[in-house]
Amino acid sequence: MPGERRRRLGYTTRQYGSELRVVPADGTSPTCPARGVRDPENRVGCGRKMACVHCGFTGHADKAASVEIEARARRAGGTVVKSTRRARTGPSRHGTSVAGVRA
């Protein structure tokens, strides 16, 4: 039930000093987290991987979508007090670094 989920998320984010911003999730998984550019060719097939045809970034499609959803929330206005993602300095589990450069 979406209304209940939104209510609980709103409560939890306030509890941790943040806020809930509802943004559309459509088109987030073919958006490259390294470049911020959406291209349907990044998601050929129906697998869990996405590969940017422009810069070569590869990673899990859901992770790429979560980065884009957070970026949309930040663009929606104001500031995000606490991010749900930890900052990484080294290579990711998917073979690329945070900046999208192959490790």
Side-chain angles (χ1 to χ4, degrees):
M1 138 173 41
E4 177 66 12
R5 184 177 300 135
R6 185 177 294 179
R7 185 191 69 78
R8 287 182 182 184
L9 285 171
Y11 171 80
T12 304
T13 54
R14 285 189 303 276
Q15 186 177 22
Y16 285 95
S18 191
E19 67 185 63
L20 178 65
R21 294 192 187 150
V22 180
V23 296
D26 58 315
T28 54
S29 60
T31 302
C32 176
R35 299 180 68 234
V37 177
R38 180 177 184 263
D39 189 335
E41 293 296 316
N42 293 343
R43 288 295 311 278
V44 177
C46 60
R48 295 179 183 252
K49 293 269 186 181
M50 68 86 58
C52 181
V53 295
H54 302 284
C55 73
F57 174 89
T58 59
H60 195 284
D62 290 344
K63 173 69 174 171
S66 72
V67 172
E68 176 59 18
I69 289 170
E70 183 177 1
R72 287 181 184 186
R74 289 180 184 274
R75 289 190 300 263
T79 60
V80 175
V81 177
K82 293 183 179 179
S83 174
T84 57
R85 295 184 296 120
R86 291 179 295 204
R88 274 200 204 136
T89 56
S92 74
R93 299 179 318 181
H94 303 293
T96 56
S97 69
V98 175
V101 179
R102 281 216 168 270

